[in-house]
Amino acid sequence: MLSFFQRIAEKSRSHRKGASTTEFLVLTPLFILCALIIWRFIITGMAVMDTHAAVRDAVKVASTTADQDQGKKQGKKSFGEKSQYKLEELKVVIKDGVAEAYASTKIPVLFMESAPFEYEASSEAPVVHAGGPGMDIGGSGPLMLAGPFSGGNGQLGLPVASPNITSPYGWRRHPVTGVWKVHTGVDFADGLGTPIFASEEGIVTRSGPSNGYGWLVVIDHGGGLQTWYAHMYSNQVLVKTGDRVTRGQQIAGIGSNGWSTGPHLHFEVRIGGQHTDPMPFLSSK
């Protein structure tokens, strides 16, 4: 009797093993197929984002330099070299004061011999500056050339005694990363240790290291107005968080800390936390 039940149990185990094997053989290809489809969706999303980056940066550069070739070059650089999809076409045209960019990307379709899926994107922007040697791109106001500060009638005092502007506020190619982006302040170049002065009385709300800024000092002047001073070394800074400073008080010395290619002060004006062109706020008095 025992032998009979043992034979039944053995057949049952054999049946279950066979069923498990069948399930494995059926489900494994389905799992692989689902994974491939999900991966294809991810690739398609990446292609769409890269295409938009290409037209966005192409227009950005073309509109701020008035140079179609420079815009196209930057658009291709932003798209990059991809093995999963291809930038089929990138056009940059400047016409009637407007820069336009159009891009087409081909994305292979999974398990299909038909033509690849094609994604198109376009963008445009007004040309704001026909750039030239030694020029940087200005902000929303008139274009300002690099060079000595010629004076103004703003409410803030100059942060350095001999202001030599090497990079104004606005669009530029970053000297370290090479990426086109907004320069959020004004650069005043001078020798290491050259005194930096508070542009107005206020309270130091920050004095410490800050990645690309090097050592950063932020002074709050009330009413949402702040001034930022960057690229100093820690041993050059004379103020700490919480200090009250007066207009014209020395707060630090010029350094080259952080993302910097030479000794200079990076000076910003922020209103309500948003950076703006500092020049209208400065006065030589």
Side-chain angles (χ1 to χ4, degrees):
M1 182 65 68
L2 183 60
S3 176
F4 172 75
F5 285 113
Q6 287 177 336
R7 287 196 298 271
I8 293 176
E10 184 64 29
K11 289 182 179 180
S12 177
R13 283 194 298 269
S14 177
H15 176 73
R16 287 198 302 271
K17 182 178 180 181
S20 298
T21 302
T22 301
E23 291 175 357
F24 177 79
L25 292 174
V26 171
L27 293 178
T28 298
L30 290 176
F31 175 79
I32 294 174
L33 178 61
C34 289
L36 289 173
I37 292 174
I38 292 172
W39 175 243
R40 181 50 54 185
F41 274 115
I42 293 173
I43 292 296
T44 301
M46 293 170 60
V48 169
M49 289 190 293
D50 285 340
T51 305
H52 279 284
V55 295
R56 178 198 64 209
D57 292 347
V59 163
K60 182 189 302 180
V61 173
S63 67
T64 54
T65 64
D67 190 323
Q68 298 175 177
D69 293 336
Q70 285 289 339
K72 188 173 183 179
K73 182 179 179 180
Q74 181 60 44
K76 288 183 176 180
K77 183 177 179 180
S78 297
F79 187 89
E81 294 293 332
K82 312 297 181 181
S83 59
Q84 299 287 343
Y85 44 90
K86 179 183 179 183
L87 181 62
E88 187 70 12
E89 185 179 21
L90 176 61
K91 291 182 179 179
V92 180
V93 178
I94 296 177
K95 184 177 180 181
D96 298 329
V98 176
E100 301 179 2
Y102 162 83
S104 173
T105 300
K106 286 192 174 181
I107 312 165
V109 180
L110 191 64
F111 301 145
M112 292 182 65
E113 297 181 358
S114 59
F117 169 70
E118 188 168 319
Y119 180 78
E120 301 176 355
S122 62
S123 181
E124 64 179 38
V127 176
V128 297
H129 168 54
M135 289 183 171
D136 275 306
I137 309 306
S140 58
L143 177 69
M144 183 189 70
L145 303 181
F149 178 68
S150 59
N153 56 0
Q155 68 186 91
L156 300 176
L158 289 171
V160 290
S162 300
N164 182 41
I165 299 167
T166 54
S167 187
Y169 175 89
W171 285 104
R172 69 168 187 177
R173 187 188 298 275
H174 195 283
V176 176
T177 65
V179 175
W180 280 89
K181 62 184 299 186
V182 172
H183 184 223
T184 55
V186 173
D187 288 347
F188 297 102
D190 215 322
L192 283 172
T194 299
I196 298 171
F197 308 106
S199 287
E200 185 55 88
E201 67 175 343
I203 297 176
V204 178
T205 57
R206 179 171 183 173
S207 179
S210 181
N211 297 324
Y213 281 99
W215 194 280
L216 174 66
V217 172
V218 177
I219 301 177
D220 191 302
H221 306 289
L225 175 64
Q226 292 181 333
T227 50
W228 291 32
Y229 311 76
H231 295 311
M232 295 84 69
Y233 295 103
S234 59
N235 61 349
Q236 298 175 309
V237 179
L238 306 177
V239 295
K240 63 183 184 298
T241 301
D243 285 354
R244 177 174 287 277
V245 296
T246 58
R247 182 187 178 102
Q249 176 182 334
Q250 183 177 354
I251 60 173
I254 284 181
S256 188
N257 193 9
W259 286 4
S260 171
T261 57
H264 71 284
L265 166 66
H266 173 82
F267 176 75
E268 293 186 17
V269 171
R270 299 211 173 196
I271 307 294
Q274 299 297 315
H275 59 76
T276 186
D277 187 353
M279 301 312 297
F281 294 85
L282 292 175
S283 171
S284 57
K285 297 179 182 180

